[in-house]
């Protein structure tokens, strides 16, 4: 086992401590799967601009979303120590790690022991993460089916406030439900409030997560909380299938029947429902978030994609993220068209349609 391999394993073992020490990271930005940190070499850096992954095969990997700098655990130490990743700074990182963990005079036998222990730890961690992910998805599935039908609920009142009448949505799917007292977990008090719940499914149509829109008590708008829209658990590779298109068939049955068609892709639930009313010939899916566009799965029911771009993605990072997502969709080998509305029409499709655009 090489010096770099041994050093990397020790960094992964003590990753949280090293991140806290070298990057002065705040525990309030620590999540189960990643840790958002400030870049110490960029003035006024914000935590959401850089992260270190803490779980699974990506543990120890990091990325600065502003500069694009990224790397593995050794690179993380090199960057934290010097602000750059080069052959020389990687050697600096290696020396720092060896000094921290007393690795400089290690015998070949000890290196082999460390390698075996690291392999065993990695396998155990991966098994634990797989079990956690499976349990979280099952929890999301059970929660969704415990919710009430959306018809006649406060969620319908909310949608009407956004000029969406569910009765007028053609071929509405079964992705939306309502919960009258959903726990809001983003603040310490964990209050309960009404919420519109959307099922997020994978390529196989199975529920993997839920999308929550927390509502005001009277349904007149979103709840007055720091972030009214949340998702749980991980949502990579998942979408919200809002409508079933002209055929009226769910995606899997449509593929079996060769009832292929154009699929419209939006970020938000309200956007997707608004488009569905205006363009009934579209099967509408929601990615749930801008990052979600980058993991949308292909499907046999899709003949081509129509992607709606919001107007509040003005930052360079958001523009690049959207461009990468579109390039990935084109990689499926199907036609892709992007619709970008003028900024004065509103920030998204729902705004545009509410303002009278057709």
């Amino acid at each position: 086992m090489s010096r770099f391999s041994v050093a990397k394993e020790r960094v992964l073992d003590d990753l949280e401590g090293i991140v806290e020490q070298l990057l002065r990271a705040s525990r309030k930005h620590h999540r189960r799967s990643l840790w958002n940190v400030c870049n110490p070499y960029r003035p006024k850096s914000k935590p959401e601009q850089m992260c270190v992954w803490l779980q699974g095969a990506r543990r120890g990997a990091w990325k600065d979303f502003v500069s694009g700098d990224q790397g593995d655990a050794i690179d993380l130490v090199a960057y934290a120590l010097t602000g750059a990743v080069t052959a020389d700074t990687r050697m600096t990182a290696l020396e720092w790690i060896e000094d921290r963990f007393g690795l400089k005079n290690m015998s070949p036998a000890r290196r082999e022991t460390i390698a075996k222990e690291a392999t065993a730890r990695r396998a155990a961690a991966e098994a634990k993460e797989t079990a956690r992910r499976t349990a979280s998805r099952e929890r999301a599935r059970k929660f969704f089916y415990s919710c009430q039908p959306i018809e006649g609920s406060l969620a319908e009142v909310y949608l009407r406030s956004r000029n969406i009448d569910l009765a007028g949505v053609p071929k509405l799917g079964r992705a939306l439900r309502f919960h009258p007292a959903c726990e809001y977990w983003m603040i310490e008090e964990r209050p309960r409030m009404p919420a519109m719940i959307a099922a997020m499914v994978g390529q196989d149509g199975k529920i993997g997560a839920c999308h929550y829109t927390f509502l005001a008590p009277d349904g007149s708008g979103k709840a007055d909380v720091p972030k009214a829209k949340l998702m749980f658990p991980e949502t990579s590779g998942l979408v919200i299938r809002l409508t079933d298109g002209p055929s009226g068939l769910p995606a899997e049955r449509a593929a079996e029947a060769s009832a292929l068609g154009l699929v419209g892709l939006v970020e938000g639930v309200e956007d997707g429902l608004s488009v569905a009313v205006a363009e009934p010939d579209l099967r509408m899916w929601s990615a749930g978030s801008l990052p979600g566009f980058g993991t949308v799965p292909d499907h046999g029911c899709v003949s081509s994609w129509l992607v709606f771009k919001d107007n509040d993605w003005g930052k360079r990072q958001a523009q690049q993220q959207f461009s990468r997502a579109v390039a990935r969709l084109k990689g499926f080998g199907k036609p892709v068209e992007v619709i970008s509305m003028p900024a004065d029409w509103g920030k998204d499709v729902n705004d545009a349609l509410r303002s009278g655009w057709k």
Side-chain angles (χ1 to χ4, degrees):
M1 196 173 188
S2 70
R3 287 173 65 193
F4 275 100
S5 297
V6 172
K8 183 176 180 178
E9 293 299 339
R10 296 315 299 268
V11 172
L12 295 179
D13 283 347
D14 190 31
L15 182 62
E16 285 79 2
I18 288 175
V19 171
E20 199 162 26
Q21 176 186 345
L22 292 184
L23 294 171
R24 300 184 294 279
S26 170
R27 283 278 169 178
K28 70 179 181 179
H29 300 301
H30 182 288
R31 303 290 182 266
R32 183 187 296 272
S33 59
L34 58 82
W35 199 339
N36 292 110
V37 299
C38 293
N39 187 326
Y41 298 98
R42 185 171 58 250
K44 298 182 180 179
S45 172
K46 298 179 180 178
E48 62 266 22
Q49 295 173 341
M50 183 174 176
C51 78
V52 180
W53 280 272
L54 303 175
Q55 294 284 350
R58 300 192 72 182
R59 180 172 169 82
W62 63 282
K63 182 170 184 177
D64 184 297
F65 296 104
V66 174
S67 66
D69 292 330
Q70 59 185 319
D72 65 6
I74 297 292
D75 297 334
L76 175 66
V77 175
Y79 189 87
L81 291 172
T82 69
V85 179
T86 66
D88 288 341
T89 63
R90 282 173 62 84
M91 284 303 302
T92 299
L94 177 62
E95 292 167 359
W96 184 89
I97 296 164
E98 288 181 334
D99 182 66
R100 178 187 176 95
F101 294 106
L103 304 176
K104 290 184 177 180
N105 300 314
M106 187 177 295
S107 68
R110 178 58 180 154
R111 288 181 186 276
E112 184 64 25
T113 298
I114 287 179
K116 291 179 179 178
E117 291 173 348
T119 299
R121 281 195 301 272
R122 215 165 26 240
E126 289 174 359
K128 183 178 180 180
E129 175 63 12
T130 297
R132 182 199 66 78
R133 188 178 294 111
T134 300
S136 294
R137 293 201 163 197
E138 179 63 13
R139 177 181 166 189
R141 187 190 69 81
K142 288 181 177 179
F143 173 75
F144 179 76
Y145 286 118
S146 74
C147 294
Q148 302 173 6
I150 193 170
E151 291 78 10
S153 73
L154 205 63
E156 255 200 320
V157 175
Y158 163 70
L159 290 174
R160 283 197 293 271
S161 77
R162 302 293 298 270
N163 284 7
I164 299 168
D165 180 3
L166 280 184
V169 178
K171 307 297 191 296
L172 183 68
R174 295 179 293 176
L176 300 178
R177 292 200 171 201
F178 172 73
H179 196 290
C182 187
E183 181 183 74
Y184 183 77
W185 64 89
M186 292 295 287
I187 55 179
E188 187 176 353
E189 295 79 9
R190 291 179 173 261
R192 291 187 174 273
M193 57 190 74
M196 180 172 67
I197 310 299
M200 303 191 73
V201 303
Q203 190 177 44
D204 57 4
K206 295 181 179 179
I207 296 175
C210 288
H211 181 285
Y212 302 71
T213 302
F214 289 90
L215 306 176
D218 61 357
S220 60
K222 292 192 284 288
D224 184 16
V225 290
K227 191 174 181 180
K229 295 193 175 189
L230 299 175
M231 295 177 283
F232 175 85
E234 296 87 350
T235 60
S236 179
L238 307 179
V239 295
I240 303 168
R241 297 178 180 176
L242 293 169
T243 67
D244 292 331
S247 70
L249 297 173
E252 283 68 41
R253 289 178 56 194
E256 292 171 0
S258 297
L260 314 188
L262 180 63
V263 172
L265 188 61
V266 294
E267 178 180 353
V269 170
E270 300 88 345
D271 297 337
L273 295 174
S274 296
V275 175
V277 173
E279 295 294 338
D281 287 341
L282 287 175
R283 179 185 296 273
M284 289 305 305
W285 290 357
S286 165
S289 66
L290 174 54
F293 275 89
T295 66
V296 169
D298 193 15
H299 198 280
C301 75
V302 182
S303 64
S304 53
W305 299 91
L306 185 61
V307 185
F308 293 81
K309 182 180 181 183
D310 282 3
N311 281 319
D312 58 348
W313 297 340
K315 295 182 179 179
R316 183 168 64 92
Q317 176 189 336
Q319 296 281 359
Q320 293 174 342
Q321 198 169 11
F322 181 77
S323 296
R324 287 193 297 270
V326 171
R328 178 178 170 275
L329 287 175
K330 290 180 178 178
F332 296 154
K334 300 173 181 179
V336 177
E337 183 176 347
V338 176
I339 291 184
S340 299
M341 297 171 297
D344 58 358
W345 287 7
K347 74 176 182 63
D348 55 32
V349 177
N350 181 254
D351 282 351
L353 291 176
R354 286 199 299 166
S355 67
W357 171 74
K358 294 294 183 181

